[in-house]
Amino acid sequence: SLRITYPDGWPDAREPAHCYKIFSTQYDDLYVQYYFKYSSGYQFHPVDNKQTYYWLGSSGSNWYLSLTGSRKVTLVTQTFNTSRYASTTGYNPVIEPGRWYKITARFRMNTPGVLDGICQVWINDSLLMDHRNIGYRSSSQSGMGTSQATITPVFGGSVGTSKTQTDYQYYDLFVVSTEKPGGSVP
């Protein structure tokens, strides 16, 4: 397992580690799966607890999976359609510290300039999100696809919050595939 340490006093809007994979090919349809856990008694940021980022070509456009301050999984896009997609299928568990979770996500690129991209997210094999109106690429970004996946565990946004204790976040079995991966929850 990869263990990320947030020392006591760690300021918000920063990540203590950054692990990435740049793909040799840009993908129009990509699955990502990983397991994650927060240490027992973990101090969550009141706004945002970022986990993984995904990048569109070399454009700087990206989207990320995160936990809200209420510890629910969300997708945030920072692409040409800059809306936050937090709505779920009705299944949206509160993520509890000290417990492993499996997250599987599918990102299918949109027709450039058209809001027809797909984002599907499963937690422990239960469908959490099924959005079919995502705008990853603008009309000028034809030919671009997902080019990079990163573990970038940013502790929140810029609201002046700091860690008051040392905490840990864990990742394991990170898989990137053009087909939906399997695997059971530990």
Side-chain angles (χ1 to χ4, degrees):
S1 294
L2 171 64
R3 182 175 88 168
I4 309 290
T5 303
Y6 297 88
D8 185 2
W10 186 261
D12 66 358
R14 292 182 47 205
E15 74 274 6
H18 181 85
C19 305
Y20 64 93
K21 173 65 178 167
I22 299 172
F23 309 132
S24 58
T25 301
Q26 293 184 34
Y27 294 96
D28 281 342
D29 201 355
L30 192 70
Y31 288 89
V32 177
Q33 181 174 284
Y34 59 92
Y35 295 79
F36 69 92
K37 176 174 85 167
Y38 293 89
S39 57
S40 295
Y42 187 91
Q43 176 191 358
F44 289 92
H45 191 277
V47 177
D48 213 0
N49 300 273
K50 298 170 185 165
Q51 290 188 349
T52 55
Y53 276 78
Y54 306 90
W55 299 86
L56 178 66
S58 59
S59 68
S61 297
N62 66 74
W63 56 98
Y64 61 88
L65 294 173
S66 181
L67 298 186
T68 63
S70 59
R71 300 186 324 234
K72 296 190 175 190
V73 176
T74 189
L75 166 75
V76 179
T77 59
Q78 297 177 325
T79 56
F80 92 96
N81 177 31
T82 57
S83 300
R84 183 179 188 130
Y85 289 89
S87 62
T88 65
T89 60
Y91 170 73
N92 197 0
V94 173
I95 301 302
E96 298 296 337
R99 181 175 169 211
W100 283 102
Y101 292 88
K102 179 175 86 169
I103 191 165
T104 307
R106 178 187 182 205
F107 307 112
R108 191 186 87 199
M109 296 296 101
N110 61 301
T111 304
V114 179
L115 299 179
D116 64 356
I118 293 175
C119 174
Q120 295 172 304
V121 178
W122 294 262
I123 297 291
N124 295 343
D125 299 320
S126 292
L127 186 63
L128 172 71
M129 292 181 206
D130 189 5
H131 293 287
R132 295 167 185 272
N133 59 349
I134 305 287
Y136 297 107
R137 335 184 250 206
S138 69
S139 56
S140 66
Q141 294 172 319
S142 180
M144 290 187 183
T146 307
S147 64
Q148 185 177 156
T150 69
I151 297 173
T152 309
V154 177
F155 178 64
S158 299
V159 297
T161 299
S162 295
K163 287 278 191 183
T164 59
Q165 63 190 37
T166 298
D167 280 324
Y168 304 97
Q169 189 176 3
Y170 301 86
Y171 291 89
D172 210 339
L173 300 171
F174 201 98
V175 174
V176 177
S177 177
T178 56
E179 298 178 8
K180 188 177 180 189
S184 60
V185 180

